[in-house]
Amino acid sequence: MLKKVAILANGGDVSGFNAVIRSIVKTAEQNNVECYGFIEGYKGLLENNYIRLDTFNTASGILHKGGSIIGSSTNSNVFNYKVEENGQVVYKDLSDKCVQNVKDDGFDCVFTLGGDGTQKSARDFSLKGINVIGVPKTIDNDVACTEITFGYNTAVSVAAEAIDRLHTTGETHHRIMVLEVMGRYAGWIALESAIAGGADVALIPEIPYDINKAAEKIKDRERKGKRFSVVVVAEGAAPKGGEITVEGTRDNGAGVDNTKLGGVGPRVAKELEKLTGLEARNTTLGYMQRGGTPTAFDRVLSTKYGAKAMELALEGKFGTLAVIKDGKLDSVSLEDVVGQNKVIGAVSGNTQESNIRKVTMDHDLVKTARDIGICLGD
Ligand code: F6P
């Protein structure tokens, strides 16, 4: 019998966190289950810091709100946690303390809202005997085994609106307008927003680009009377035979990918300017893609995910991730989600080694983009 459950939101925030939380809480209340929320993801689990969640007080009026009412943490890999000992920084596996907290508090299930790194830790907790159920979150849309993550649709909508706006200013000043979007090693946001916004070029990590191909497309447009072009570049896109552009490093702890991507937009703009003779400008969209109100689609998807996660808990189907498969709600084992990252302590997070879902060349989005003449840089 399920009596008491807890939710944690972990990793970079997305629009839709609160919609999932609300949905879990509502479904829990329908089934006489008490709901709690750990503050700032796995950090809250480690510090045993949690609040009661109910739809008449703490979890009220949150469906449309960005961010997360229980916070989220991007640097709390409790299997490799940064601590200070005798004035020195050391990394420790503090997961047993978390396990003890869950047992002491009497939580029958912990819902882990997060991306691949979060679900890797969830799988590891599952192996340690904790009842966990994951819900796939990330604007990057790259969690394995599901067709869509919550937060992605909002990010695409924000990017599409940016493309619309770049169109009019680009057209007015006869410029090449480059938009750098997020997505890390997956090109979903770039590709889908390029189609939604009617961009002329989309450069994604899955297709190493030849900048000359993009320049040719732009020059061809110019010859035909279109003196402006819009280029969408995923932050993880790289030229053929070249490297990803890196802005620096971030401190998301040990055992995770700490590469801070960024800078490919200005680089592409500069190269296109040289090759075409047209003026080019870059806009980096950044965290606009993660903040603010979720789209109606994301509110519904998040609500579906939350209800499904609670349903899985009620059925005792622990160690799973709520997913969308063939357009329908379903679940898969966290083992399948973790994929190649089988070993406890193996690198997690947005790494190339982890089991992230990338754009495949036979995907409808790639085919459609090619069909309507969007240049993919190859
Ligand atoms: O994974 C989500 C994401 O927004 C990526 O698209 C981006 O590369 C990264 O997070 C930024 O991470 P941080 O919040 O650590 O700057």
Side-chain angles (χ1 to χ4, degrees), residues 74 138-140 182-184 235 250 252 260 287 290 350:
T74 53
T138 173
I139 63 163
D140 304 340
M182 283 183 166
R184 296 196 75 72
E235 60 180 355
R250 52 185 190 169
N252 280 3
K260 183 149 179 35
Y287 298 88
R290 285 180 13 185
N350 294 313

Side-chain angles (χ1 to χ4, degrees), residues 180 235 245-247 261-268 282 284:
E180 181 183 314
E235 60 180 355
T245 315
V246 168
E247 198 182 294
L261 301 178
V264 69
R267 174 182 176 178
V268 162
N282 173 69
T284 300

Side-chain angles (χ1 to χ4, degrees), residues 103-371:
K103 286 187 179 157
D104 291 348
D105 299 333
F107 289 122
D108 302 314
C109 177
V110 179
F111 296 98
T112 55
L113 282 43
D116 67 322
T118 301
Q119 305 312 342
K120 166 74 175 42
S121 292
R123 191 290 306 254
D124 293 350
F125 276 120
S126 174
L127 292 179
K128 282 176 173 268
I130 298 299
N131 291 336
V132 274
I133 289 174
V135 186
K137 166 240 67 165
T138 173
I139 63 163
D140 304 340
N141 201 29
D142 62 354
V143 175
C145 306
T146 188
E147 283 156 21
I148 190 159
T149 54
F150 70 89
Y152 167 67
N153 181 266
T154 306
V156 170
S157 299
V158 171
E161 193 196 329
I163 296 168
D164 287 348
R165 291 178 187 277
L166 292 176
H167 255 112
T168 57
T169 169
E171 191 168 11
T172 307
H173 296 290
H174 318 303
R175 284 173 172 162
I176 301 167
M177 303 306 289
V178 177
L179 179 70
E180 181 183 314
V181 297
M182 283 183 166
R184 296 196 75 72
Y185 306 110
W188 297 108
I189 299 176
L191 189 56
E192 192 153 355
S193 67
I195 294 172
D200 309 293
V201 179
L203 305 178
I204 62 172
E206 293 85 349
I207 305 177
Y209 65 84
D210 174 353
I211 198 69
N212 294 298
K213 298 280 168 145
E216 271 166 35
K217 167 83 188 176
I218 292 164
K219 283 197 274 186
D220 185 48
R221 279 173 55 77
E222 205 199 0
R223 273 193 297 273
K224 291 170 179 157
K226 295 279 187 192
R227 296 171 64 201
F228 74 99
S229 288
V230 177
V231 178
V232 182
V233 192
E235 60 180 355
K240 259 183 202 157
E243 295 296 316
I244 280 176
T245 315
V246 168
E247 198 182 294
T249 50
R250 52 185 190 169
D251 185 13
N252 280 3
V256 296
D257 172 21
N258 275 317
T259 315
K260 183 149 179 35
L261 301 178
V264 69
R267 174 182 176 178
V268 162
K270 213 185 234 171
E271 288 173 2
L272 287 177
E273 209 164 57
K274 220 188 256 169
L275 289 168
T276 62
L278 289 166
E279 241 191 309
R281 294 282 191 274
N282 173 69
T283 301
T284 300
L285 199 50
Y287 298 88
M288 299 282 289
Q289 293 157 97
R290 285 180 13 185
T293 307
T295 56
F297 181 95
D298 256 331
R299 294 182 204 189
V300 174
L301 180 68
S302 302
T303 305
K304 280 162 66 175
Y305 268 144
K308 177 70 183 175
M310 191 65 210
E311 179 194 303
L312 290 169
L314 290 164
E315 290 169 352
K317 291 187 179 154
F318 302 114
T320 57
L321 180 79
V323 295
I324 299 285
K325 196 175 162 224
D326 300 327
K328 289 201 171 104
L329 280 170
D330 206 334
S331 66
V332 291
S333 153
L334 281 170
E335 281 297 341
D336 292 340
V337 179
V338 170
Q340 299 148 23
N341 245 326
K342 291 270 184 226
V343 191
I344 288 197
V347 177
S348 64
N350 294 313
T351 64
Q352 275 153 318
E353 297 80 22
S354 68
N355 196 29
I356 63 166
R357 191 178 74 101
K358 297 191 182 198
V359 176
T360 53
M361 292 310 106
D362 60 352
H363 196 279
D364 277 356
L365 289 176
V366 174
K367 191 174 176 311
T368 303
R370 292 198 193 282
D371 284 348

Side-chain angles (χ1 to χ4, degrees), residues 14-19 60-69 291-294 299:
V14 300
S15 302
F17 255 150
N18 288 327
S60 163
I62 60 169
L63 176 62
H64 61 287
K65 284 193 181 154
S68 157
I69 58 160
T293 307
R299 294 182 204 189

